[in-house]
């Protein structure tokens, strides 16, 4: 392939110092040439309201266009009370509408949940996969990326603290790139 796949990266945390945002930056540093990882911001999107149909907020239109322009979507999310944070669910709802114009339709998807806790956001991960089925996103089945121990994962320079972690993440990205190619035929 001559051109890199465009991957919209959605981060399920608005927190300054978010581990999931650190993960996005660390992944950008090690991404293969076949993947162009672009963070698409979601924190400014108003709560979804179906009354938007007549006059969608500017943020909605731009967000939907960013998703439509991407070959794939990579979700990096913490777990909030065993599910995905509201900000991420809101972005999924915004992108899914108006009815019949789902921006996520047919995209390849990848999911990593990252938590300081030991369970690696398993509950959020599974809930997210369930929503992505509804949105017709073809989500990479394995490796299942439930990542714990987030507090020790990154260096001050924004890389991965341990070579093993970096190698594992690199393997995930290579598998994801292959998956995107298969979905696009
Ligand atoms: C959490 N956190 C959390 N962690 C977890 O592993 N399972 C959970 O169910 C929850 N629930 C939860 C609810 C709420 C409302 C908050 C604010 C936090 C902790 C969470 O994983 C931690 O704050 C992460 O650091 C959040 O991710 P970022 O912001 O670092 O990307």
């Amino acid at each position: 392939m001559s051109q890199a796949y465009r991957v919209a990266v959605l981060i399920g945390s608005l927190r300054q110092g978010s581990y999931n945002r650190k993960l996005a930056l660390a992944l950008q540093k090690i991404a293969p040439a076949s993947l162009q990882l672009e963070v698409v911001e979601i924190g400014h999107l108003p709560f979804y309201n179906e009354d938007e149909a007549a006059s969608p907020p500017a943020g909605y239109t731009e967000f939907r266009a960013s998703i439509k322009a991407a070959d794939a979507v990579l979700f990096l999310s913490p777990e909030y009370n065993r599910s995905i944070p509201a900000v991420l669910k809101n972005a999924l709802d915004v992108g899914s509408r108006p009815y019949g114009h789902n921006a996520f339709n047919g995209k390849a998807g990848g999911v990593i949940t990252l938590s300081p806790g030991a369970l690696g956001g398993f509950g959020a991960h599974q809930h997210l996969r369930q929503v992505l089925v509804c949105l017709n996103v073809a989500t990479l089945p394995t490796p299942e990326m439930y990542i714990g121990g987030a507090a020790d994962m990154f260096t001050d320079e924004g890389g991965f603290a341990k070579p093993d972690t970096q190698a594992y993440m690199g393997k995930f990205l290579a598998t994801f790139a292959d998956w995107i190619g298969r979905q696009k035929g």
Side-chain angles (χ1 to χ4, degrees):
M1 60 168 294
S2 54
Q3 271 203 319
Y5 296 126
R6 294 184 66 181
V7 179
V9 179
L10 303 193
I11 302 169
S13 171
L14 304 180
R15 187 175 77 84
Q16 269 196 358
S18 159
Y19 297 124
N20 283 277
R21 187 169 290 270
K22 287 182 181 174
L23 177 59
L25 299 177
L27 290 175
Q28 281 174 330
K29 285 179 195 270
I30 65 161
S34 56
L35 292 183
Q36 188 183 334
L37 304 182
E38 299 166 5
V39 174
V40 175
E41 300 297 342
I42 59 175
H44 62 295
L45 299 172
F47 275 134
Y48 189 72
N49 176 342
E50 277 193 272
D51 292 339
E52 60 109 4
S55 176
Y60 282 15
T61 307
E62 202 181 319
F63 173 71
R64 289 163 177 157
S66 297
I67 299 300
K68 282 184 181 168
D71 297 301
V73 185
L74 177 60
F75 298 89
L76 309 178
S77 185
E79 176 174 82
Y80 279 7
N81 299 316
R82 299 288 180 262
S83 187
I84 54 174
V87 69
L88 180 55
K89 182 60 164 60
N90 186 52
L92 289 161
D93 293 340
V94 169
S96 72
R97 295 280 151 156
Y99 185 76
H101 297 275
N102 168 19
F104 294 100
N105 185 38
K107 303 291 177 192
V111 176
I112 303 176
T113 47
L114 175 65
S115 168
L119 300 181
F122 177 86
H125 193 117
Q126 292 302 323
H127 277 185
L128 178 53
R129 283 181 181 268
Q130 182 179 331
V131 175
L132 295 178
V133 170
C134 181
L135 300 189
N136 196 33
V137 172
T139 307
L140 174 68
T142 59
E144 295 171 280
M145 302 291 279
Y146 317 115
I147 311 296
D152 302 320
M153 192 163 292
F154 306 101
T155 64
D156 291 344
E157 292 72 41
F160 291 104
K162 294 182 187 150
D164 284 1
T165 310
Q166 178 164 327
Y168 187 63
M169 290 293 171
K171 199 169 160 192
F172 166 79
L173 288 175
T175 307
F176 188 42
D178 182 54
W179 176 253
I180 297 168
R182 284 162 61 187
Q183 301 313 310
K184 292 184 75 71

CSV table of all heavy atoms in Angstrom, one decimal, residues 22-62:
chain,number,residue,atom,x,y,z
A,22,LYS,N,-2.2,9.8,27.3
A,22,LYS,CA,-0.8,9.4,27.2
A,22,LYS,C,-0.6,8.2,26.3
A,22,LYS,O,0.4,8.1,25.5
A,22,LYS,CB,-0.2,9.1,28.6
A,22,LYS,CG,0.0,10.4,29.4
A,22,LYS,CD,0.6,10.1,30.8
A,22,LYS,CE,0.7,11.4,31.6
A,22,LYS,NZ,1.1,11.2,33.0
A,23,LEU,N,-1.5,7.3,26.4
A,23,LEU,CA,-1.4,6.1,25.5
A,23,LEU,C,-1.5,6.5,24.1
A,23,LEU,O,-0.8,6.0,23.2
A,23,LEU,CB,-2.5,5.1,25.9
A,23,LEU,CG,-2.6,3.9,25.0
A,23,LEU,CD1,-1.3,3.1,25.1
A,23,LEU,CD2,-3.8,3.0,25.5
A,24,ALA,N,-2.4,7.4,23.8
A,24,ALA,CA,-2.6,7.9,22.4
A,24,ALA,C,-1.3,8.4,21.9
A,24,ALA,O,-0.8,8.1,20.7
A,24,ALA,CB,-3.7,8.9,22.3
A,25,LEU,N,-0.6,9.3,22.7
A,25,LEU,CA,0.6,9.9,22.2
A,25,LEU,C,1.7,8.9,22.1
A,25,LEU,O,2.5,8.9,21.2
A,25,LEU,CB,1.0,11.0,23.2
A,25,LEU,CG,0.0,12.1,23.4
A,25,LEU,CD1,0.4,13.2,24.4
A,25,LEU,CD2,-0.2,12.8,22.0
A,26,ALA,N,1.8,7.9,23.0
A,26,ALA,CA,2.8,6.9,23.0
A,26,ALA,C,2.6,6.0,21.8
A,26,ALA,O,3.6,5.6,21.1
A,26,ALA,CB,2.8,6.1,24.3
A,27,LEU,N,1.4,5.7,21.4
A,27,LEU,CA,1.1,4.9,20.3
A,27,LEU,C,1.5,5.6,19.0
A,27,LEU,O,2.0,5.0,18.0
A,27,LEU,CB,-0.4,4.5,20.2
A,27,LEU,CG,-0.9,3.5,21.3
A,27,LEU,CD1,-2.4,3.3,21.2
A,27,LEU,CD2,-0.2,2.1,21.1
A,28,GLN,N,1.2,6.9,19.0
A,28,GLN,CA,1.6,7.7,17.8
A,28,GLN,C,3.1,7.6,17.5
A,28,GLN,O,3.6,7.6,16.4
A,28,GLN,CB,1.2,9.2,18.0
A,28,GLN,CG,-0.3,9.4,17.7
A,28,GLN,CD,-0.7,10.9,18.0
A,28,GLN,OE1,-0.2,11.5,18.9
A,28,GLN,NE2,-1.7,11.3,17.3
A,29,LYS,N,3.9,7.6,18.6
A,29,LYS,CA,5.3,7.6,18.5
A,29,LYS,C,5.8,6.2,17.9
A,29,LYS,O,6.8,6.2,17.2
A,29,LYS,CB,6.0,7.7,19.9
A,29,LYS,CG,6.0,9.1,20.4
A,29,LYS,CD,6.7,9.0,21.8
A,29,LYS,CE,6.4,10.3,22.6
A,29,LYS,NZ,7.4,11.3,22.5
A,30,ILE,N,5.1,5.2,18.1
A,30,ILE,CA,5.6,3.8,17.6
A,30,ILE,C,4.8,3.3,16.5
A,30,ILE,O,5.0,2.2,16.0
A,30,ILE,CB,5.6,2.8,18.8
A,30,ILE,CG1,4.2,2.5,19.3
A,30,ILE,CG2,6.5,3.3,19.9
A,30,ILE,CD1,4.1,1.2,20.0
A,31,ALA,N,3.8,4.1,16.0
A,31,ALA,CA,2.9,3.5,14.9
A,31,ALA,C,3.7,3.2,13.7
A,31,ALA,O,4.6,3.9,13.3
A,31,ALA,CB,1.8,4.5,14.6
A,32,PRO,N,3.3,2.1,13.0
A,32,PRO,CA,4.0,1.8,11.7
A,32,PRO,C,3.6,2.8,10.7
A,32,PRO,O,2.6,3.5,10.8
A,32,PRO,CB,3.4,0.4,11.4
A,32,PRO,CG,2.1,0.3,12.1
A,32,PRO,CD,2.3,1.1,13.4
A,33,ALA,N,4.4,2.8,9.6
A,33,ALA,CA,4.1,3.8,8.5
A,33,ALA,C,2.8,3.6,7.9
A,33,ALA,O,2.2,4.5,7.3
A,33,ALA,CB,5.2,3.7,7.5
A,34,SER,N,2.2,2.4,8.1
A,34,SER,CA,0.9,2.1,7.5
A,34,SER,C,-0.3,2.7,8.2
A,34,SER,O,-1.4,2.7,7.8
A,34,SER,CB,0.7,0.6,7.4
A,34,SER,OG,0.8,0.0,8.6
A,35,LEU,N,0.0,3.3,9.4
A,35,LEU,CA,-1.1,3.9,10.2
A,35,LEU,C,-0.8,5.3,10.5
A,35,LEU,O,0.2,5.7,11.0
A,35,LEU,CB,-1.2,3.1,11.5
A,35,LEU,CG,-1.7,1.7,11.5
A,35,LEU,CD1,-1.9,1.2,12.9
A,35,LEU,CD2,-3.1,1.6,10.8
A,36,GLN,N,-1.8,6.2,10.2
A,36,GLN,CA,-1.7,7.6,10.7
A,36,GLN,C,-2.8,7.8,11.8
A,36,GLN,O,-4.0,7.8,11.5
A,36,GLN,CB,-2.1,8.5,9.4
A,36,GLN,CG,-1.8,9.9,9.7
A,36,GLN,CD,-2.2,10.8,8.5
A,36,GLN,OE1,-2.2,10.3,7.3
A,36,GLN,NE2,-2.6,12.0,8.7
A,37,LEU,N,-2.3,7.9,13.0
A,37,LEU,CA,-3.2,8.0,14.1
A,37,LEU,C,-3.5,9.5,14.4
A,37,LEU,O,-2.6,10.3,14.7
A,37,LEU,CB,-2.6,7.4,15.4
A,37,LEU,CG,-2.1,5.9,15.3
A,37,LEU,CD1,-1.6,5.4,16.6
A,37,LEU,CD2,-3.3,5.0,14.9
A,38,GLU,N,-4.8,9.9,14.3
A,38,GLU,CA,-5.2,11.3,14.6
A,38,GLU,C,-6.2,11.4,15.7
A,38,GLU,O,-7.3,10.8,15.5
A,38,GLU,CB,-5.8,11.9,13.3
A,38,GLU,CG,-4.9,11.9,12.1
A,38,GLU,CD,-5.6,12.1,10.8
A,38,GLU,OE1,-6.8,12.4,10.8
A,38,GLU,OE2,-4.9,12.1,9.7
A,39,VAL,N,-5.9,12.0,16.8
A,39,VAL,CA,-6.9,12.2,17.8
A,39,VAL,C,-8.0,13.1,17.4
A,39,VAL,O,-7.7,14.2,16.9
A,39,VAL,CB,-6.2,12.8,19.1
A,39,VAL,CG1,-7.2,13.0,20.2
A,39,VAL,CG2,-5.1,11.8,19.6
A,40,VAL,N,-9.2,12.6,17.5
A,40,VAL,CA,-10.4,13.5,17.2
A,40,VAL,C,-11.0,13.8,18.6
A,40,VAL,O,-11.4,12.9,19.3
A,40,VAL,CB,-11.4,12.7,16.3
A,40,VAL,CG1,-12.7,13.5,16.1
A,40,VAL,CG2,-10.7,12.4,15.0
A,41,GLU,N,-11.1,15.1,18.9
A,41,GLU,CA,-11.6,15.5,20.2
A,41,GLU,C,-13.1,15.3,20.3
A,41,GLU,O,-13.8,15.5,19.3
A,41,GLU,CB,-11.2,17.0,20.5
A,41,GLU,CG,-9.7,17.2,20.5
A,41,GLU,CD,-8.9,16.5,21.6
A,41,GLU,OE1,-9.6,16.1,22.5
A,41,GLU,OE2,-7.7,16.3,21.4
A,42,ILE,N,-13.6,15.0,21.5
A,42,ILE,CA,-15.0,14.7,21.7
A,42,ILE,C,-15.6,15.5,22.9
A,42,ILE,O,-16.8,15.5,23.1
A,42,ILE,CB,-15.3,13.2,21.9
A,42,ILE,CG1,-14.5,12.6,23.1
A,42,ILE,CG2,-14.9,12.4,20.7
A,42,ILE,CD1,-14.8,11.2,23.4
A,43,GLY,N,-14.7,16.2,23.7
A,43,GLY,CA,-15.1,16.8,24.9
A,43,GLY,C,-16.0,18.0,24.7
A,43,GLY,O,-16.8,18.4,25.6
A,44,HIS,N,-16.0,18.6,23.5
A,44,HIS,CA,-16.8,19.8,23.3
A,44,HIS,C,-18.2,19.5,22.7
A,44,HIS,O,-19.0,20.4,22.5
A,44,HIS,CB,-16.0,20.7,22.2
A,44,HIS,CG,-15.9,20.0,20.9
A,44,HIS,ND1,-15.1,18.8,20.8
A,44,HIS,CD2,-16.4,20.2,19.7
A,44,HIS,CE1,-15.2,18.4,19.5
A,44,HIS,NE2,-16.0,19.2,18.8
A,45,LEU,N,-18.5,18.2,22.4
A,45,LEU,CA,-19.7,17.9,21.8
A,45,LEU,C,-20.9,18.0,22.8
A,45,LEU,O,-20.8,17.3,23.9
A,45,LEU,CB,-19.7,16.4,21.3
A,45,LEU,CG,-18.6,16.1,20.2
A,45,LEU,CD1,-18.6,14.6,19.9
A,45,LEU,CD2,-18.9,16.9,18.9
A,46,PRO,N,-21.9,18.8,22.5
A,46,PRO,CA,-23.0,18.9,23.5
A,46,PRO,C,-23.7,17.5,23.6
A,46,PRO,O,-23.7,16.7,22.7
A,46,PRO,CB,-24.0,19.9,22.8
A,46,PRO,CG,-23.2,20.6,21.8
A,46,PRO,CD,-22.1,19.7,21.4
A,47,PHE,N,-24.4,17.3,24.7
A,47,PHE,CA,-25.1,16.0,24.9
A,47,PHE,C,-26.1,15.9,23.8
A,47,PHE,O,-26.8,16.8,23.3
A,47,PHE,CB,-25.9,16.0,26.2
A,47,PHE,CG,-25.1,15.6,27.4
A,47,PHE,CD1,-25.2,16.3,28.6
A,47,PHE,CD2,-24.3,14.4,27.3
A,47,PHE,CE1,-24.4,15.9,29.7
A,47,PHE,CE2,-23.6,14.0,28.4
A,47,PHE,CZ,-23.6,14.7,29.6
A,48,TYR,N,-26.2,14.7,23.2
A,48,TYR,CA,-27.0,14.4,22.1
A,48,TYR,C,-28.5,14.7,22.4
A,48,TYR,O,-29.0,14.2,23.4
A,48,TYR,CB,-26.8,13.0,21.5
A,48,TYR,CG,-27.5,12.9,20.2
A,48,TYR,CD1,-27.0,13.5,19.1
A,48,TYR,CD2,-28.8,12.3,20.1
A,48,TYR,CE1,-27.7,13.6,17.9
A,48,TYR,CE2,-29.5,12.3,18.9
A,48,TYR,CZ,-28.9,13.0,17.8
A,48,TYR,OH,-29.6,13.0,16.6
A,49,ASN,N,-29.1,15.3,21.4
A,49,ASN,CA,-30.5,15.7,21.5
A,49,ASN,C,-31.1,15.6,20.1
A,49,ASN,O,-30.6,16.2,19.2
A,49,ASN,CB,-30.6,17.1,22.0
A,49,ASN,CG,-32.1,17.6,22.1
A,49,ASN,OD1,-33.0,17.1,21.4
A,49,ASN,ND2,-32.3,18.7,22.8
A,50,GLU,N,-32.1,14.7,19.9
A,50,GLU,CA,-32.6,14.5,18.6
A,50,GLU,C,-33.1,15.7,17.9
A,50,GLU,O,-33.3,15.7,16.7
A,50,GLU,CB,-33.7,13.4,18.6
A,50,GLU,CG,-33.1,12.0,18.6
A,50,GLU,CD,-34.2,10.9,18.3
A,50,GLU,OE1,-34.8,10.5,19.3
A,50,GLU,OE2,-34.4,10.6,17.1
A,51,ASP,N,-33.4,16.7,18.7
A,51,ASP,CA,-33.9,18.0,18.1
A,51,ASP,C,-32.9,18.7,17.2
A,51,ASP,O,-33.2,19.6,16.5
A,51,ASP,CB,-34.4,19.0,19.2
A,51,ASP,CG,-35.6,18.5,19.9
A,51,ASP,OD1,-36.3,17.7,19.4
A,51,ASP,OD2,-35.8,19.0,21.1
A,52,GLU,N,-31.6,18.1,17.2
A,52,GLU,CA,-30.6,18.7,16.4
A,52,GLU,C,-30.8,18.6,14.9
A,52,GLU,O,-30.2,19.2,14.1
A,52,GLU,CB,-29.2,18.1,16.8
A,52,GLU,CG,-29.2,16.6,16.6
A,52,GLU,CD,-28.3,16.2,15.4
A,52,GLU,OE1,-27.7,17.0,14.7
A,52,GLU,OE2,-28.3,14.9,15.1
A,53,ALA,N,-31.7,17.7,14.6
A,53,ALA,CA,-31.9,17.4,13.1
A,53,ALA,C,-32.0,18.6,12.2
A,53,ALA,O,-31.4,18.6,11.2
A,53,ALA,CB,-33.1,16.4,13.0
A,54,ALA,N,-32.8,19.6,12.7
A,54,ALA,CA,-33.0,20.7,11.8
A,54,ALA,C,-31.8,21.6,11.7
A,54,ALA,O,-31.5,22.2,10.7
A,54,ALA,CB,-34.2,21.6,12.4
A,55,SER,N,-31.0,21.7,12.8
A,55,SER,CA,-29.9,22.6,12.8
A,55,SER,C,-28.8,22.0,13.7
A,55,SER,O,-28.6,22.4,14.9
A,55,SER,CB,-30.3,24.0,13.3
A,55,SER,OG,-29.3,24.8,13.5
A,56,PRO,N,-28.0,21.1,13.2
A,56,PRO,CA,-27.0,20.4,14.1
A,56,PRO,C,-25.9,21.4,14.5
A,56,PRO,O,-25.5,22.3,13.8
A,56,PRO,CB,-26.4,19.4,13.2
A,56,PRO,CG,-26.9,19.6,11.8
A,56,PRO,CD,-28.0,20.6,11.8
A,57,PRO,N,-25.5,21.3,15.8
A,57,PRO,CA,-24.3,22.1,16.2
A,57,PRO,C,-23.1,21.9,15.4
A,57,PRO,O,-22.9,20.8,14.8
A,57,PRO,CB,-24.1,21.6,17.7
A,57,PRO,CG,-25.3,20.9,18.1
A,57,PRO,CD,-25.9,20.4,16.8
A,58,ALA,N,-22.3,23.0,15.2
A,58,ALA,CA,-21.1,22.9,14.3
A,58,ALA,C,-20.2,21.8,14.8
A,58,ALA,O,-19.7,21.1,13.9
A,58,ALA,CB,-20.4,24.2,14.4
A,59,GLY,N,-20.1,21.6,16.0
A,59,GLY,CA,-19.2,20.5,16.5
A,59,GLY,C,-19.7,19.2,16.0
A,59,GLY,O,-18.8,18.3,15.7
A,60,TYR,N,-21.0,18.9,15.9
A,60,TYR,CA,-21.5,17.6,15.4
A,60,TYR,C,-21.0,17.4,14.0
A,60,TYR,O,-20.6,16.3,13.6
A,60,TYR,CB,-23.0,17.6,15.5
A,60,TYR,CG,-23.6,17.4,16.8
A,60,TYR,CD1,-22.9,17.5,18.0
A,60,TYR,CD2,-25.0,17.1,16.9
A,60,TYR,CE1,-23.5,17.3,19.2
A,60,TYR,CE2,-25.6,16.9,18.1
A,60,TYR,CZ,-24.9,17.0,19.3
A,60,TYR,OH,-25.5,16.8,20.5
A,61,THR,N,-21.2,18.4,13.2
A,61,THR,CA,-21.0,18.3,11.7
A,61,THR,C,-19.5,18.0,11.5
A,61,THR,O,-19.1,17.1,10.7
A,61,THR,CB,-21.4,19.6,11.0
A,61,THR,OG1,-22.7,19.9,11.4
A,61,THR,CG2,-21.3,19.4,9.5
A,62,GLU,N,-18.7,18.7,12.2
A,62,GLU,CA,-17.2,18.5,12.1
A,62,GLU,C,-16.8,17.1,12.6
A,62,GLU,O,-16.0,16.4,11.9
A,62,GLU,CB,-16.5,19.6,12.9
A,62,GLU,CG,-15.1,19.9,12.5
A,62,GLU,CD,-14.5,21.0,13.4
A,62,GLU,OE1,-15.2,21.9,13.7
A,62,GLU,OE2,-13.4,20.8,13.8
